[in-house]
């Protein structure tokens, strides 16, 4: 069982749809992250939030919109995505000065 | 540009052998290093962290760090088929955003 839970685990959406990915961490951490993992590529950092404030936006297209209402919850709002956005989206949490980050199970996204 | 380099593999070893996974990093400011294991279709899970030069052992796993050579390795003794997975190396500098940089991962196959 992981301290970071993500929903949905699988999502298929059309290019004109709007959907959201949700992440919740039960570890008391103050930093949360969104990563994208595509086949044969390194993990790509998308966004970082520390104490609910966005501290990193790694040149992510505006069709991805993060939201962090509190230190335990993180959303990724998806709008007019492209097929190349199909990937595994991983949420993670950690202490912003701590030593490790912990990943959720991921949300598999397919854009058709 | 901070980079973490890993041979993508696959690295194939027989059951019971020692698997040796290697990683180099470009950022000399990196102070913390992590090995994550990722089974197919699953999220990465932390298996080892190392912060000082030398070896660190945990069960069948040994992490080795050489900061002068900017080199990190993971040895898996008595490899089992259940060790078959992708192993991700990550490096992180202290201070700033504390965000780890991940390599592409090395695929390990342990065959009976």
């Amino acid at each position: 069982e992981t301290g970071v839970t993500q929903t949905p685990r699988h999502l298929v959406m059309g290019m004109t749809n709007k959907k959201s990915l949700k992440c919740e961490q039960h570890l008391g951490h103050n930093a949360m992250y969104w990563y994208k993992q595509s086949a044969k590529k390194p993990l790509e950092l998308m966004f970082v939030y520390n104490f609910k404030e966005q501290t990193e936006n790694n040149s992510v297209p505006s069709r991805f919109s993060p939201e962090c209402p509190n230190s335990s919850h993180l959303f990724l709002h998806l709008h007019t995505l492209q097929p190349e956005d199909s990937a595994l989206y991983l949420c993670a949490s950690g202490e912003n000065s701590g030593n490790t980050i912990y990943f959720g199970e991921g949300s598999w996204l397919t854009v058709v | 540009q901070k980079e973490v380099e890993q041979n993508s593999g696959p690295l194939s070893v027989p059951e019971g052998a020692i698997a040796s996974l290697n990683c180099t990093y470009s950022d000399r400011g990196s102070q913390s290093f992590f090995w994550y294991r990722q089974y197919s279709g699953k999220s990465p899970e932390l298996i080892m962290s190392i912060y000082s030069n030398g070896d660190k052992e945990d069960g069948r796993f040994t992490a080795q760090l050489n900061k002068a050579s900017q080199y990190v390795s993971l040895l898996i003794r008595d490899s089992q088929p259940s060790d078959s997975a992708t192993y991700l190396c990550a490096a992180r500098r202290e201070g700033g955003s504390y965000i780890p940089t991940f390599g592409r991962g090395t695929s390990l196959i342990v065959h009976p």
Side-chain angles (χ1 to χ4, degrees), chain A residues 9 33 35 37 40-43 45 48 56 88 90 96-106 108, chain B residues 32 34 36 38 40-46 49 51 88 92 94 96-104:
Chain A
R9 297 292 314 281
Y33 310 78
Y35 281 88
Q37 189 175 40
K40 302 192 185 302
K41 284 186 165 184
L43 280 169
L45 179 68
V48 180
E56 294 276 339
L88 176 65
L90 290 161
N96 68 338
S97 59
N99 289 323
T100 61
I101 64 172
Y102 297 88
F103 288 92
E105 293 288 317
W108 285 96
Chain B
S32 303
F34 311 96
Y36 285 79
Q38 186 174 23
S40 180
K42 300 292 186 181
S43 62
E45 60 175 320
L46 180 71
S49 56
Y51 311 106
L88 302 172
R92 197 189 72 171
E94 299 314 300
S97 60
Y98 294 93
I99 300 170
T101 299
F102 286 87
R104 292 173 183 268

Side-chain angles (χ1 to χ4, degrees), chain B residues 47-48 56-63 74-78:
Chain B
I47 54 172
M48 288 284 288
K56 179 181 178 183
E57 186 174 320
D58 183 0
R60 294 186 296 112
F61 298 96
T62 298
L74 179 69
L75 302 178
I76 307 175
R77 290 182 300 282
D78 188 24

